[in-house]
Amino acid sequence: MKFDKTEKGLAVALAIAALLSFVVPEWAVFLGTLAVSKCLVVFGCLVLWRTGLVSFGQALYFALGGYTVGMAGKYLGWTDAVLLTVLGTIVAGVMAAIISMLLARYREIFFAMFSMALSMILYGVLVKTEVLGSTDGFNVVVPTFFGYAPEGTELLISMFMLTLLVTLIAAVFVHRYLSSTLGHLTTAIKDNEIRVEYLGLSVFKAIQFKVILAGALAGTGGAITAFSVGHVDPDAMAYWTVSGEFVFITILSGTGSVAAPFLGALLFQVVRTYAFQYSPQTWQLVLGAVLLFLIMFIPDGLWSLVRRIRNKEVA
Amino acid sequence: MTLLRAIQLKKSFGSVMAADNVSVDITENEVIGIIGANGAGKTSFVNMITGYLKPDSGQILYEGRDITALVSRDITRLGICRSFQVPQVFSSATVFENLLIALGATQPSLGAMLRPLHQEERIREAEVLLERYSLTDYRGQESSLLPQGIRKLMDIAMAVVSHPRLLLLDEPTSGVSADEKFGIMDTIMTALKVTKVTTLFVEHDMEIIGRYAERVLAFYDGGIIADGPPGEVLENDQVRQYVIGEELHRAATDDQGAGHA
């Protein structure tokens, strides 16, 4: 297998992040884990965005991934992090495959609203399900890694390593998908669906593929988040504001490259954490102001800044 | 050999008959011009053959096979492609990328679709198309910024990527300035000769019909009122009355024959 510049760059950046986790304080590793696992979900949003589709319902798959991990631990006694992450991904992917049969017919605001409505159904169900702790949720098992059962700082770092590895694999996959024929075609769908159909291709199937890919990625992100936080509950995983966060990060990042979500997710996590710490009553106001600033001054996201710097170097 | 056979196609939109018992046989390697006033049913005919519209009744046979109920993408896969009156291209991509994407779309399987778009062989094919359709000068330009004539050529180049056996061109020169028309038609017809494709083109300009069509179908009010070689059809009384219309007066004084309809 050959790797291109973006893939190598990502591998190097994530390796540096992995090494840093041994020197930075614990809270920073935790913050990093959450940010990187959000990246996974944002990859999915990016894939959809390339066709002009915005999903306000990625929390559905995010929560499914998280709850799958929680429930498999609670009822089956499974603890292996890799196994459960794969399981969470599959459950979310299967759900996305079912939903895609309906969702792939819709575009624009209808796509956004329909995906949100579906995710709020799950939220409603979770809130009413007492065995799953209703609004309180429940605690998730402590993960093991192929029999290795770390604790404390070691657990935190192991989880971070796993997150980085999974995200790197996902990033390479998404990058290759975007540069593949199918990836280019789905961008073309945004331009002209009629032409795509007259080239002998099903627009419906191409969009279905995207919905499933995005759903599975959100499931992976949810599974990892559930492990890292050690707890799942409807408000933190399934409420529509969670989906909103992913859309926020997508806008913040820009959709120019698969590397963009790393910047976006990290900045988002930092802003959110500090806003929450320094103004616990009005942190949403701070986030809102940041979003407003971004849309007005860097509408193409943080990645457009990177691109601008690069172009200057070339010139 | 008969490539396509339309049998008693009927299609109405409310009280308007877009197709009223349209029957026609198309033989392999013909170049057919379709004429008719606005609303005569020319585009509806093209749309029915390519699966964009379903006829209310009647049958379309392609190589002896009934394709009436198929959707457009399946019909494309069988070898019937079309271009559009308003060019349907990917506006945010460059000319070259448009061709690459179109070529990529001919991949048969999901596995092949997941391979990179930029492949050596495909790039070579795209270069050939650029050359053949005189698009080389516009290679790296974003297609939304190009003149209509160029977009028309792109549209046709993208329609032939899968090597169709039957190609339908819906008004290849509409929206193109008068002095560019012949240049564009020459490019198209020369390119199509190389690939030996049976061609139907809808056209309003009788000069173009006279020069490029081997056979002409004249539509009026949803039906075909004349079918034959251009010399014969363009002299047909009904055609002169309903299709060429007032141009008749000009034809008397103009030694070019019928002018722009």
Side-chain angles (χ1 to χ4, degrees), chain A residues 8 21 34 47 52 56 65 89 112 116 121 125 134 137 159 167 182 186 188 192 194 208 235 248 276 288 307:
Chain A
K8 282 181 191 154
S21 69
L34 288 187
V47 164
F56 262 99
T89 307
M116 181 163 104
I121 292 174
V125 169
S134 301
M159 204 58 227
T167 312
L182 188 62
T186 44
N192 199 329
I194 294 177
Q208 233 184 344
D235 276 307
F248 186 122
F276 196 73
R307 201 165 268 175

Side-chain angles (χ1 to χ4, degrees), chain B residues 50-78:
Chain B
T50 55
Y52 193 73
L53 280 180
K54 295 275 160 280
D56 298 333
S57 68
Q59 238 189 345
I60 303 166
L61 302 177
Y62 171 68
E63 297 178 317
R65 186 182 158 179
D66 187 359
I67 59 162
T68 323
L70 297 183
V71 294
S72 47
R73 61 172 175 277
D74 293 333
I75 291 176
T76 301
R77 294 258 176 212
L78 287 176

Side-chain angles (χ1 to χ4, degrees), chain A residues 60-197:
Chain A
L60 169 69
Y61 313 106
F62 188 68
L64 271 179
Y67 270 76
T68 300
V69 165
M71 285 163 72
K74 192 172 165 174
Y75 297 111
L76 303 174
W78 295 1
T79 55
D80 192 80
V82 175
L83 175 75
L84 288 182
T85 305
V86 171
L87 189 67
T89 307
I90 293 172
V91 170
V94 168
M95 180 55 96
I98 297 167
I99 287 176
S100 72
M101 292 176 204
L102 278 171
L103 199 58
R105 293 173 197 280
Y106 297 87
R107 303 288 181 273
E108 298 171 5
I109 190 76
F110 308 101
F111 182 92
M113 289 298 115
F114 194 18
S115 55
M116 181 163 104
L118 288 169
S119 86
M120 287 309 285
I121 292 174
L122 179 70
Y123 175 79
V125 169
L126 291 178
V127 163
K128 297 287 179 199
T129 309
E130 269 175 49
V131 283
L132 295 178
S134 301
T135 47
D136 291 338
F138 60 95
N139 286 336
V140 175
V141 289
V142 177
T144 58
F145 303 83
F146 302 114
Y148 167 61
E151 282 172 20
T153 313
E154 277 166 18
L155 173 62
L156 200 65
I157 290 178
S158 308
M159 204 58 227
F160 185 55
M161 297 293 176
L162 176 71
T163 312
L164 288 177
L165 190 65
V166 169
T167 312
L168 181 63
I169 294 168
V172 170
F173 182 80
V174 170
H175 179 66
R176 296 206 167 174
Y177 163 73
L178 290 176
S179 52
S180 77
T181 306
L182 188 62
H184 279 276
L185 263 164
T186 44
T187 313
I189 289 172
K190 184 179 169 184
D191 273 350
N192 199 329
E193 289 193 17
I194 294 177
R195 171 52 85 187
V196 174
E197 285 276 331

Side-chain angles (χ1 to χ4, degrees), chain A residues 182-241:
Chain A
L182 188 62
H184 279 276
L185 263 164
T186 44
T187 313
I189 289 172
K190 184 179 169 184
D191 273 350
N192 199 329
E193 289 193 17
I194 294 177
R195 171 52 85 187
V196 174
E197 285 276 331
Y198 270 101
L199 285 170
L201 277 165
S202 164
V203 169
F204 185 84
K205 279 189 193 154
I207 290 184
Q208 233 184 344
F209 187 89
K210 283 192 171 227
V211 171
I212 296 170
L213 179 61
L217 285 168
T220 320
I224 289 177
T225 305
F227 273 132
S228 321
V229 179
H231 183 85
V232 288
D233 67 76
D235 276 307
M237 299 210 83
Y239 200 52
W240 69 268
T241 52

Side-chain angles (χ1 to χ4, degrees), chain B:
Chain B
M1 191 202 125
T2 305
L3 187 62
L4 186 106
R5 168 170 285 173
I7 307 164
Q8 300 196 314
L9 296 180
K10 280 192 183 175
K11 178 80 196 174
S12 61
F13 298 103
S15 61
V16 179
M17 288 301 281
D20 190 4
N21 268 332
V22 173
S23 294
V24 66
D25 276 12
I26 292 161
T27 311
E28 220 169 345
N29 294 326
E30 278 186 304
V31 177
I32 303 174
I34 298 181
I35 55 173
N38 286 327
K42 307 179 299 295
T43 299
S44 293
F45 179 67
V46 170
N47 283 344
M48 281 189 284
I49 291 175
T50 55
Y52 193 73
L53 280 180
K54 295 275 160 280
D56 298 333
S57 68
Q59 238 189 345
I60 303 166
L61 302 177
Y62 171 68
E63 297 178 317
R65 186 182 158 179
D66 187 359
I67 59 162
T68 323
L70 297 183
V71 294
S72 47
R73 61 172 175 277
D74 293 333
I75 291 176
T76 301
R77 294 258 176 212
L78 287 176
I80 303 179
C81 294
R82 70 172 292 184
S83 76
F84 297 83
Q85 190 174 352
V86 178
Q88 301 291 327
V89 298
F90 305 127
S91 341
S92 67
T94 66
V95 175
F96 187 61
E97 282 167 346
N98 263 277
L99 291 176
L100 274 185
I101 294 171
L103 284 163
T106 58
Q107 295 299 316
S109 68
L110 182 65
M113 295 289 284
L114 286 173
R115 303 253 305 281
L117 177 67
H118 293 259
Q119 280 170 33
E120 253 176 69
E121 197 185 328
R122 192 175 294 157
I123 290 172
R124 262 203 306 279
E125 275 183 73
E127 301 281 8
V128 170
L129 282 173
L130 282 177
E131 186 72 38
R132 197 175 283 165
Y133 286 88
S134 317
L135 292 166
T136 314
D137 294 346
Y138 305 94
R139 192 180 189 279
Q141 291 190 37
E142 200 181 291
S143 50
S144 60
L145 308 172
L146 294 171
Q148 188 76 342
I150 303 304
R151 286 162 62 88
K152 285 270 183 187
L153 286 172
M154 275 177 74
D155 193 52
I156 294 164
M158 286 167 78
V160 299
V161 288
S162 55
H163 308 293
R165 296 192 60 197
L166 176 62
L167 181 67
L168 300 111
L169 308 174
D170 196 355
E171 301 199 19
T173 63
S174 75
V176 177
S177 69
D179 52 330
E180 282 174 330
K181 277 190 178 180
F182 285 101
I184 284 181
M185 277 311 280
D186 276 335
T187 307
I188 295 170
M189 288 302 165
T190 314
L192 293 180
K193 285 248 162 61
V194 179
T195 45
K196 288 208 179 78
V197 52
T198 312
T199 310
L200 253 88
F201 66 102
V202 176
E203 186 54 67
H204 279 296
D205 191 321
M206 297 306 148
E207 260 181 276
I208 286 180
I209 289 285
R211 194 185 293 194
Y212 299 100
E214 295 163 1
R215 176 181 164 194
V216 178
L217 300 175
F219 275 73
Y220 175 70
D221 208 15
I224 295 177
I225 52 170
D227 177 357
E232 210 174 280
V233 173
L234 296 182
E235 291 305 319
N236 181 302
D237 283 344
Q238 270 192 310
V239 173
R240 300 213 115 192
Q241 187 178 346
Y242 297 124
V243 182
I244 309 175
E246 58 262 40
E247 295 297 319
L248 204 62
H249 306 293
R250 227 176 73 192
T253 54
D254 190 351
D255 58 4
Q256 287 269 318
H260 304 270

